[in-house]
Amino acid sequence: MWRLKIGDHGTKKDPYIFSTNNFDGRQLWVFDPDEGSPEEIAEVEEARLNYFKNRFNVKNASELIWQIQILREKKFEQTIPQVKIGDHGEKITHEIATTALRRAVHKFSALQSSHGHWPADNSGPLFYNTPFIICLYITGYLNIVFSSEHRKEMLRYTYNHQNEDGGWGLHVEGHSTMFGTVFNYICMRLLGEGPDGGENNACARARKWILDRGGATGIPSWGKTWLSILGVYDWSGCNPMPPEFWKFPSFLPISPGKLLCYCRLTYMPMSYLYGKRFVGPITPFILQLREEIYTQPYRDIHWSKMRHFCAKEDSFFPHTSVQNLLWDTLYNVVEPVLNRWPLNQLREKSLEIAMNHIHYEDEASRYMTIGCIEKPLNMLSCWVEDPNSDYFKKHLSRISEYLWVGEDGMKVQSFGSQTWDCAIAVQALLACSLTDEIGPILMKAHDFLKTSQVTDNPPGDFKRMFRHISKGGWTFSNKDHGWPVSDCTAEALLCCLHFSMMRPEIVGEKMEPERFYDAVNYILSLQSETGGVPAWEPTGAPSWLELLNPIEFLDEVIIEHDKVECTASALKAMTLFKKLYPKHRAKEVKNFIAKATKFIEDIQKSDGSWYGSWGICFTYGAWFAISGLVAAKKTYSNCLAIRKATDFLLKIQCEDGGWGESYRSCPNKKYIPLGGNRSNLVQTAWAMMSLIHAGQMERDPTPLHRAAKLLINSQLEDGDFPQQELTGVFMENCMLHYPIYRNIFPMWALAEYRSRLLLPEIF
């Protein structure tokens, strides 16, 4: 049976893994055939079967495998009776609201790990698994790293998320795409399925989808790269990724340091593999694959004509004629020159520089790398350089931390959301005003946040390696990851500041002031001239660089952009810090707050909404923006932006009292409701808290009562809330699954509702 292990499991006998904080927050799934009682195994199988039967209605897993494990270990029982609100004028009393809240807190507290965080999945995209499988297949480690049980669960995940038309989407709720379908077809074949194998004829149906739409030549550029590496596509059908780029000086209009870190760190290993024109072993199996995914014989394909071809299902950001002219120039003029003597020696030097950067990033992230897209590329690059190197072996030791097991199967995560989830969970729990009941829970969470802060800058001459400072920040996942994010830092800082005002015998000793100062210094370093705050590194690159975006299915991926959520999170943290530590960089903090406030007001859309970049979408943006403005002493009466936002939210409330926004709002950049006027409980909670912060209870609390009724009546028997649609997103077009949001945000909204209205009876 699968078990989630927390911490240093398996590390003591592994010389290739190391940690900066004794592996706090590390989580990995391990299969033990001797684990699990018959009752527990039956419960897991029932969860899998129920998911399978309902998979086209609710496509996101509910974390039931982990919940079954932890709740049995803690012998959890929901002892607080369930409450419901009738439809015939029944009132929501203070007692009912408190009961519903305590039930949610009781259940959620039981899900906390021994390290103090809340383990959770962070997946959703359907192109994450395949690069890991291709990398391990090429290197000969597929059946060593992934046991038969791993492969079984990966296939389960693949089958469960196949669309009814036979294809797979970019993410679990998306329409079928060439990228998703070719990658998952390759995945099934590499994991042992025959051309016509797989559950419910999965392979045959997938191949038909591919061939009916012109074959795999229509796969986007990232897919072309991985298929070339595998040997089932030709490098001459890819647009150039010259490694000489890493030698460009910073004064040029385009240079490595100007790129968004994710873009930079993806194309770094891609350019290395492209420069090497690396291709894995051409086995009979690879030769067979070549004949399965194209509409004409492999040898007859005119590869150079395929460079700009992308299936219409995948083309979210189509290349412009100017961009195609640039690629053609690189392909037809620059590349032939760089591959001839004497400039081919420059190519060799450039490959060496690219590899040095890869090694630097690997070491700085303890071989986790910045994310799951980069991890297999870096790992394969290390193997290509030297199959027996310690670099490659260190990569192998960190693979398991990317895997997550749900009732829908095993999937690769983005890289884990431990710190982010913990920070928002803490704020939700603090809002409940139930400290006497959950003191030990808060203390463990506080300890986790304290041990997760990044305490050093990247090693060596980090600026030469295109890195920004990191000391004082918090990452999205854990300290070892090493890449702090502005909003993760701000939300964690906010938690620790709140804990510093509480009794240490309840929540533990507060952080030292110097560590607060480090966090503030990091946040201050990120603010742009606009007043906004980006996610990872300071902005400053020209916006026209986005026109060169080579990734057909994502947008705003070339340079850093200021985000309303990052700005609002930083604004909340800075206002509280200013109150508690008024002397530290006082003028700069004051200016930061003023500029951030103005930025949020300035970027509001004409309909009163804000575009959310990390959640879906305008509902999410509104919650952050309003909470940030309120922290800066803005109110409904003195802030037009809050009044416009309130009007926007009230206009889109659903008939059942909730709010529900489609993921299509993100790529379309306009508000689109869920089909059938459905509500989503997480989005309902965001909108509800937005209105509470905006003072709606003082004007007309009826919309809040209706929303609270929906949350209370939707609560499950055990205190949980049902899993619904996706609520996360990145790069505008790819959705993310945050299953823990359904636990945190309805609980948080009920807490705000109960405490802010302050009425003995709520009508």
Side-chain angles (χ1 to χ4, degrees), residues 497-508:
L497 288 169
H498 280 299
F499 281 135
S500 74
M501 297 185 289
M502 300 174 69
R503 300 203 311 272
E505 62 269 24
I506 295 178
V507 298

Side-chain angles (χ1 to χ4, degrees), residues 539-596:
T539 60
S543 59
W544 59 261
L545 288 177
E546 287 291 358
L547 298 174
L548 303 180
N549 176 15
I551 309 168
E552 301 90 339
F553 56 90
L554 299 175
D555 197 4
E556 293 201 352
V557 293
I558 302 301
I559 63 173
E560 273 279 15
H561 295 271
D562 297 322
K563 307 294 186 183
V564 67
E565 305 102 303
C566 297
T567 307
S569 290
L571 184 54
K572 290 186 296 181
M574 288 299 218
T575 53
L576 183 57
F577 176 81
K578 180 175 179 288
K579 177 182 176 182
L580 298 179
Y581 295 91
K583 295 182 179 180
H584 181 74
R585 301 182 68 173
K587 183 177 180 180
E588 293 161 280
V589 170
K590 180 180 178 181
N591 289 339
F592 181 101
I593 291 170
K595 290 173 64 178

Side-chain angles (χ1 to χ4, degrees), residues 665-714:
S665 291
C666 301
N668 286 281
K669 297 186 179 180
K670 66 177 183 179
Y671 176 80
I672 299 175
L674 284 172
N677 197 34
R678 301 193 314 276
S679 289
N680 178 286
L681 298 179
V682 172
Q683 292 166 342
T684 296
W686 293 337
M688 195 173 165
M689 289 189 287
S690 299
L691 291 173
I692 290 173
H693 293 165
Q696 183 64 29
M697 74 287 285
E698 299 168 4
R699 297 180 301 276
D700 177 14
T702 302
L704 298 173
H705 300 334
R706 295 174 60 216
K709 177 181 176 181
L710 176 67
L711 293 184
I712 292 171
N713 285 348
S714 299

Side-chain angles (χ1 to χ4, degrees), residues 648-664:
F648 167 75
L649 291 170
L650 292 175
K651 285 177 183 176
I652 61 173
Q653 189 172 20
C654 300
E655 293 178 4
D656 63 3
W659 280 262
E661 185 175 2
S662 168
Y663 76 81
R664 292 181 294 120

